[in-house]
Amino acid sequence: MTTANLADAPVFELDGITFRSLAVPSRGSSELAVWSIEMAPGSSGQEHTVDREEVFIARSGRIVGMVGGVEHTIGAGDALILPPHTPFSIRNDSATEPAAATVCTSAGIKATLAGQTILPPWAQ
């Protein structure tokens, strides 16, 4: 058994979103990738696709997901389930309140952003 603490998790920043790696291959997980995100007020991620199913579970605030052209809003305790190969983006519409979520997917996930395929560093 391995434990991974949020306090000493690797931190990545992109578009006003902070990613903290929790259970990912570099921290001992072989099949799943789990990370925490904190979204600054008004932050918005770029539209992209992923090659594996991805699940966002809101912990606080409200997160708006645009999934395949359809808008979905989740709040604390709600889950946004993203199918693979479907364009999506997330944003925090609040001008004053941060939002936070836990994200779970499969280890080895790849994302395609602006025509370029990447390995998200927080999922490694």
Side-chain angles (χ1 to χ4, degrees):
M1 183 170 123
T2 302
T3 61
N5 298 315
L6 187 61
D8 63 4
V11 177
F12 304 89
E13 303 277 342
L14 181 65
D15 298 327
I17 304 171
T18 302
F19 300 80
R20 289 184 168 84
S21 303
L22 289 170
V24 295
S26 64
R27 300 188 84 199
S29 176
S30 62
E31 295 184 23
L32 298 176
V34 179
W35 57 87
S36 170
I37 63 169
E38 290 86 34
M39 301 182 74
S43 63
S44 181
Q46 299 175 44
E47 184 178 75
H48 62 289
T49 62
V50 290
D51 69 338
R52 312 277 176 92
E53 182 176 69
E54 195 170 44
V55 178
F56 287 72
I57 303 162
R59 295 190 324 264
S60 63
R62 299 184 68 73
I63 297 172
V64 179
M66 184 65 75
V67 182
V70 179
E71 189 171 281
H72 304 274
T73 302
I74 60 172
D78 297 336
L80 178 64
I81 303 165
L82 304 171
H85 310 291
T86 302
F88 79 95
S89 62
I90 57 171
R91 70 181 187 272
N92 178 358
D93 275 348
S94 175
T96 58
E97 298 295 322
T102 300
V103 184
C104 183
T105 189
S106 301
I109 190 170
K110 295 177 186 172
T112 302
L113 173 69
Q116 182 180 13
T117 298
I118 64 165
L119 301 173
W122 47 86
Q124 304 309 305

